[in-house]
Amino acid sequence: MAGADEERPDVDSHDQVYGLDRLLALSDGVFAFAMTLLVVQLLVPQLGPGQVGQLGTKLLDQVRSYISYLISFAVISIYWYSHHRLFRYVRRWDVWLIALNLGALLFIAVMPFPTAIVGRYGDQTVSVVIYAAILGSAGLFIWLMWWYGIRRQLLTRRLEQHAARQFRWRAFLTPVVFYLSIPVAFCQPRIAQTSWGLIWLGIYVLSRPRRRVSNAR
């Protein structure tokens, strides 16, 4: 792949800049498409004869769909931000980084499907397991991009080592919570869903200022 070993810079490599621009354009498009499609599961209630005045009740019947929409939108936003932050620091790309990025997009693109399932059947183990497995797998690929980028030295040297570790662990948090909720779902699907709130608690803890994080730009 042309230009795979050249630095992004600050950049005088046309191949690297072009490749990264294409990769980011595709990624942002998939993230935007997935976030937009989440709303498809929110249905307008149909009122039959004699049901005038029951619109509020019918809307409340879909509370689980609203909650699953909000959770999925928030999680995709977290993944997009982690992806965005990673590529602020990428100075080189190679075929494996692209492969990992496509793996993440595979699961991001399908997120409206498990969101609709858990919105309608959130009290069933299978729906919670499918949801947690797909959202966790998307996060796993994003974490693997951080891990691979650091290991292969694809990131700018201006990213301090301790900051790189912090970002990597933060990316690891969300998939871990989702994966750990899977065995819980086999006993208590509702508790498994409640446990996803640990993601926001973990982000708060990991985001508390320690040392100054240098920016790539």
Side-chain angles (χ1 to χ4, degrees):
M1 195 168 288
D5 295 323
E6 299 176 22
E7 293 194 358
R8 181 178 182 178
D10 307 341
V11 215
D12 48 26
S13 165
H14 175 74
D15 288 336
Q16 283 291 302
V17 175
Y18 178 76
L20 284 168
D21 286 347
R22 291 292 303 275
L23 187 152
L24 291 174
L26 172 65
S27 300
D28 284 344
V30 171
F31 274 101
F33 187 67
M35 295 171 86
T36 302
L37 279 186
L38 290 176
V39 78
V40 173
Q41 64 145 339
L42 303 180
L43 303 177
V44 177
Q46 299 294 321
L47 299 180
Q51 292 185 317
V52 177
Q54 296 186 24
L55 178 59
T57 301
K58 294 290 185 180
L59 289 171
L60 288 175
D61 288 341
Q62 299 188 55
V63 166
R64 287 189 303 196
S65 294
Y66 306 147
I67 293 174
S68 66
Y69 168 80
L70 290 174
I71 292 173
S72 294
F73 191 92
V75 171
I76 294 178
S77 299
I78 291 170
Y79 288 161
W80 176 84
Y81 186 67
S82 182
H83 186 277
H84 166 74
R85 178 156 44 194
L86 169 65
F87 280 93
R88 284 183 62 198
Y89 299 116
V90 170
R91 63 189 177 92
R92 304 190 285 126
W93 53 264
D94 62 17
V95 68
W96 288 108
L97 185 66
I98 291 177
L100 291 173
N101 188 72
L102 290 173
L105 296 182
L106 170 69
F107 290 101
I108 293 293
V110 81
M111 276 192 189
F113 173 66
T115 300
I117 292 178
V118 83
R120 183 169 298 183
Y121 305 109
D123 57 343
Q124 297 189 28
T125 296
V126 173
S127 68
V128 176
V129 169
I130 291 173
Y131 186 87
I134 290 177
L135 271 70
S137 296
L140 177 62
F141 272 97
I142 291 176
W143 174 79
L144 284 172
M145 283 193 286
W146 274 103
W147 173 82
Y148 182 76
I150 294 169
R151 181 179 178 85
R152 298 293 295 175
Q153 299 182 342
L154 302 180
L155 308 185
T156 177
R157 294 183 181 90
R158 283 179 288 179
L159 175 62
E160 296 176 7
Q161 191 174 32
H162 80 277
R165 286 196 300 267
Q166 183 184 23
F167 292 155
R168 184 178 62 190
W169 281 110
R170 198 179 300 175
F172 192 56
L173 168 69
T174 304
V176 164
V177 171
F178 277 120
Y179 282 140
L180 290 179
S181 73
I182 291 176
V184 177
F186 284 99
C187 301
Q188 293 290 340
R190 292 296 187 191
I191 294 178
Q193 294 176 66
T194 303
S195 71
W196 299 337
L198 294 173
I199 294 171
W200 285 269
L201 176 61
I203 290 174
Y204 170 76
V205 171
L206 292 175
S207 298
R208 295 178 65 183
R210 291 182 179 84
R211 294 174 53 193
R212 183 179 177 184
V213 176
S214 65
N215 289 324
R217 295 175 184 269

